[in-house]
């Protein structure tokens, strides 16, 4: 016959600490269900952040190319690598490469086919098509549009162009 514990020390000696295997499996199953429910929206979130980052990178490149044209008092060209903006872009003046950007993965970026040329006053040589950025992986991620006015200043907005 087991005796009833009378002191706190005896009480601690009679208790079991920790989790049983069934309790552990139950908690893991619930965590797996929650993770499965959150995965699609997390994928859309990541794709949306990539789209936003790409639009900011394009805006910064446009602003930087405009600034370099004014500073150097030369024409500066922002052009896609291999004719595709997803492959990145280069900023050049004559034969000198000022900057270049790496390719984007899982994004679709459309923009001016020939690139942009800023003249020495920081203005564009001609009107250009806007940059449309969307995800090629997640249809739930909102696209973004980067517009460039004739003065050469870029602006970014959520939504299609």
């Amino acid at each position: 016959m087991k005796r009833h514990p009378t002191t706190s020390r005896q009480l601690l000696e009679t208790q079991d600490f920790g989790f049983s295997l069934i309790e552990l499996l139950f908690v893991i199953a619930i965590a797996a269900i929650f993770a499965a429910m959150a995965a699609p929206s997390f994928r859309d979130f990541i794709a949306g952040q990539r789209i936003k980052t790409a639009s900011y990178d394009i805006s910064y490149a446009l602003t930087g190319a405009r600034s370099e044209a004014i500073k150097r008092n030369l024409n500066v060209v922002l052009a896609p690598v291999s004719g595709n903006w997803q492959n990145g872009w280069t900023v050049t003046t004559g034969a000198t490469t000022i900057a270049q950007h790496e390719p984007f993965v899982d994004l679709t970026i459309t923009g001016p086919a020939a690139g942009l040329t800023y003249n020495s006053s920081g203005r564009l040589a001609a009107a250009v098509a806007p940059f449309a950025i969307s995800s090629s992986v997640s249809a739930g991620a909102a696209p973004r549009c980067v517009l460039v006015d004739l003065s050469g200043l870029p602006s970014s907005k959520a939504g299609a162009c």
Side-chain angles (χ1 to χ4, degrees):
M1 179 158 122
K2 200 169 192 183
R3 294 185 65 193
H4 189 4
T6 56
T7 66
S8 60
R9 183 178 184 139
Q10 289 175 339
L11 181 62
L12 287 175
E13 290 174 357
T14 60
Q15 290 181 345
D16 291 329
F17 293 101
F19 299 105
S20 69
L21 183 58
I22 293 173
E23 291 170 332
L24 182 63
L25 291 175
F26 187 72
V27 169
I28 290 174
I30 290 174
I33 291 169
F34 285 144
M37 290 188 319
S41 57
F42 188 67
R43 182 183 64 226
D44 291 345
F45 173 76
I46 295 295
Q49 292 302 311
R50 285 185 177 168
I51 291 169
K52 194 180 287 188
T53 299
S55 74
Y56 292 154
D57 285 353
I58 290 171
S59 293
Y60 295 148
L62 291 165
T63 304
R66 182 175 187 262
S67 176
E68 286 292 327
I70 294 169
K71 179 176 84 174
R72 294 173 186 249
N73 200 25
L74 295 170
N75 286 348
V76 173
V77 177
L78 177 72
V81 173
S82 304
N84 192 343
W85 290 99
Q86 288 146 222
N87 296 335
W89 53 81
T90 59
V91 179
T92 58
T93 180
T96 306
T97 299
I98 299 169
Q100 56 188 27
H101 197 281
E102 69 276 355
F104 286 100
V105 179
D106 299 332
L107 292 182
T108 302
I109 302 173
T110 58
L116 311 133
T117 301
Y118 284 97
N119 61 27
S120 61
S121 66
R123 296 189 175 270
L124 289 174
V128 295
F131 292 86
I133 308 161
S134 61
S135 175
S136 57
V137 175
S138 174
R144 289 191 70 88
C145 182
V146 177
L147 303 163
V148 187
D149 62 15
L150 266 179
S151 69
L153 293 173
S155 63
S156 178
K157 68 172 187 151
C161 294

